Amino acid sequence: MLVTGFAILIAVGTGLLFLPISRAAGEPADLVVAFFTATSAVCVTGLVVVDTATAWSPFGQLVVLGLVQVGGFGFMTGSTLLLLLFVGGRVGLRDRILAQAATGDLDLGGVIDIVRRIALFTILVEATGAAVLFAAFLGEAREVGQAAWYAVFHAISAFNNAGFDLFGGFQSVARYATSPVVLLTLGGLIVLGGLSVAIVADVLARRHWGRLALESKVVLLTTLVLLVAGAVAFAALEWSNPATLGSIPVEHRPLNALFESVTLRSGGFAVINQGRLGEAALFVAMALMFIGGASGSTAGGIKVNTFSVLLIAILSTVRGRPSAEAFGRRVPHELIYRALSVALLSIAFVFVVALGLEVLAGTSFVDTTFEAISAFGTVGLSTGITPEMPPPAQILEAGAMFVGRLGPLTLALALASRQRPVLYRPALESMRIG
C-alpha cells in the first residue's frame, strides 16, 4: 500500500507537470523531466534537472510544493487524516495498522492521535518558519506577495527536508550565507522535520532527560553528535578553501559549516557549491547523507535509529557485554538483525546505483557515488552532474529516490512481519571471525 500510494502520487504529479501550463515557457515539459521532478518532490529529495525558479510556471511551482507537502506528510497518514476529517467514519484496524506503518508509532491504540498531532505539528512549525522567513524576505525590498510566497514555499520545503528553492541559477540558498536569520530558520525547520513528531512529543511530554524513552535519548544524542562532528569536520577541511567556506567572511564560516552539517542530514539546501568541496569533505558528506534523520520523520537515509542500534551493538561488544545495552536498557537481538539487514542492503543498493550511473553517465567515481547516496538518502544535494546526465541515468536516479524514500521502512516492516515464534533451536556451532 505504501509503495502503490507513492507510485500513484508520482504518476499524478508527472501528469500535472507535463501540462503546458506548468512550464514557464508555456510548452509541454520533457516527460523525463516531469517524471524526475515529480519523483524528487514526492520523495522529498530536491534533486532537479531543471531550475525550479525559471523552468516552472507559478502553477508548476505550486504542483511541486503540493507534492512535497503530501509526500512529506506521508501518503497513508494523509489519507487516514482525510478519512477522519471528511468522512467521519470509524477507522478500522487495517487503516490503523497502515497509519502506524507510515508514522512509525509503536502504540496501535494511539495512532489516530499521532496522525492528528502530525498535522498540528506540521502546520504550527511550517507557519512559524514561514512567518520568520517572510520578515527576512520582506526586508530585501521584495513585494509583499512575492515575499509571502517565497516564505511559505521554503518553509514547507525545509520542514519536509525537500531542498527545493525558488532563488534560481541552481544556487540554492548561497545568497544567504551571511544571513543568520535565514540559515538558522531553515536549519531549525530541517532539524525539527528530521527528528519526527514522536521524538518531539516525547520531549515535550516528559521534559526531563531521565524520563525520556530509550529511542528519544538515542536519537537526540546521536543527532547532536553527528551535527557537531559534521560541522567541525567541514570547518576543519574547508575553512581555507576559496571555492567554499573560504569565500565567506570569517565571522560567518562557523554557522555555514553547521548549516552544511544540518542540510546533509536530508535537508538539501546548499550554501556552498558541493562540486567544489574537497574529496575528504565529500566523503564526510556522503556518510552524513547515508545515515539521514530519525525514523518516522521527513528525512531519508537508513535513519539515525538504524545507525544508533548498530553503534550500540558495536560498543556493547567492545565492552564485553553479552547483549546490546544503552542507558540501562537492553536492545532486542532481533532489532539488531533488522538494523544490520537494512544497513547492508542499503549499502549494496547504493553500490549498484553508483555503478549504473558510472556506466550510463561516465562521470568521476566520487561525484557519481555522491549523487547515488544523495538520491538514496533523499537529500537532494548535487555536485552539479545530475542535470547533465543522459535520460537513462536520470531515470535510474529517480528510481534510487523512490527506493530510498520507501525502501528502509518497507524492508524493516517486511522483516518484522516475517518474525515467527521459534519452537526449537538448531545445535550451536562456532565460526571464525576476523
Side-chain angles (χ1 to χ4, degrees), residues 1-17 34-35 37-44 63-76 78-79 402 405-406:
M1 290 296 293
L2 286 170
V3 172
T4 303
F6 272 86
I8 292 174
L9 190 58
I10 289 172
V12 172
T14 302
L16 290 174
L17 292 176
F35 169 72
T37 304
T39 304
S40 182
V42 172
C43 297
V44 291
V63 170
V64 170
L65 187 63
L67 295 174
V68 166
Q69 184 70 292
V70 175
F73 188 74
F75 184 80
M76 300 315 302
S79 65
F402 187 79
R405 177 61 174 159
L406 298 175

Side-chain angles (χ1 to χ4, degrees), residues 82-421:
L82 290 174
L83 178 65
L84 288 173
L85 293 178
F86 299 110
V87 178
R90 295 184 62 185
V91 180
L93 179 62
R94 174 182 170 82
D95 294 313
R96 286 175 179 267
I97 293 175
L98 290 174
Q100 182 188 27
T103 59
D105 185 55
L106 301 179
D107 181 10
L108 192 60
V111 167
I112 303 306
D113 289 335
I114 285 290
V115 173
R116 291 195 184 100
R117 261 182 271 170
I118 288 177
L120 180 61
F121 180 70
T122 299
I123 294 171
L124 180 62
V125 174
E126 289 178 351
T128 303
V132 177
L133 291 175
F134 174 72
F137 294 153
L138 194 61
E140 299 177 350
R142 297 180 187 272
E143 296 180 358
V144 175
Q146 185 187 46
W149 169 237
Y150 273 43
V152 171
F153 187 98
H154 293 96
I156 293 176
S157 182
F159 176 75
N160 288 287
N161 281 224
F164 284 91
D165 71 273
L166 297 178
F167 300 117
F170 294 103
Q171 296 299 309
S172 192
V173 294
R175 67 175 67 186
Y176 295 103
T178 58
S179 175
V181 173
V182 173
L183 293 187
L184 288 174
T185 302
L186 293 176
L189 290 169
I190 293 170
V191 170
L192 287 174
L195 280 178
S196 85
V197 178
I199 302 297
V200 175
D202 190 38
V203 172
L204 294 177
R206 307 195 186 191
R207 301 183 182 181
H208 189 277
W209 178 260
R211 292 195 292 268
L212 293 179
L214 173 62
E215 182 181 33
S216 298
K217 291 179 181 179
V218 169
V219 168
L220 290 173
L221 181 59
T222 307
T223 297
L224 179 62
V225 170
L226 289 175
L227 290 178
V228 173
V232 172
F234 280 108
L237 295 171
E238 296 293 318
W239 189 270
S240 301
N241 185 345
T244 56
L245 288 182
S247 63
I248 300 171
V250 175
E251 63 272 18
H252 292 289
R253 291 181 195 176
L255 178 58
N256 279 263
L258 176 61
F259 186 83
E260 179 74 3
S261 180
V262 169
T263 196
L264 281 165
R265 302 294 309 290
S266 195
F269 289 103
V271 286
I272 56 179
N273 189 335
Q274 307 302 301
R276 301 292 182 88
L277 291 172
E279 289 194 353
L282 284 174
F283 276 105
V284 173
M286 286 187 274
L288 292 175
M289 290 193 298
F290 185 75
I291 295 171
S295 298
S297 72
T298 58
I302 63 170
K303 303 297 185 294
V304 170
N305 310 55
T306 304
F307 173 77
S308 299
V309 167
L310 295 177
L311 187 61
I312 290 170
I314 292 172
L315 293 177
S316 297
T317 301
V318 170
R319 295 168 65 184
R321 300 293 176 85
S323 58
E325 301 175 9
F327 298 104
R329 296 289 187 272
R330 273 190 307 115
V331 178
H333 286 294
E334 57 268 22
L335 199 62
I336 298 173
Y337 299 150
R338 291 178 208 160
L340 187 61
S341 299
V342 170
L344 291 181
L345 287 174
S346 297
I347 291 173
F349 178 78
V350 167
F351 176 82
V352 171
V353 172
L355 177 62
L357 292 178
E358 178 75 23
V359 172
L360 295 172
T363 52
S364 71
F365 169 76
V366 174
D367 287 348
T368 300
T369 306
F370 186 95
E371 302 294 304
I373 296 177
S374 180
F376 172 79
T378 68
V379 180
L381 292 173
S382 173
T383 57
I385 65 174
T386 291
E388 307 300 327
M389 287 182 178
Q394 293 175 352
I395 293 174
L396 175 60
E397 205 166 359
M401 289 188 279
F402 187 79
V403 173
R405 177 61 174 159
L406 298 175
L409 172 62
T410 305
L411 178 59
L413 293 173
L415 293 174
S417 67
R418 292 178 62 87
Q419 185 174 332
R420 298 289 185 273

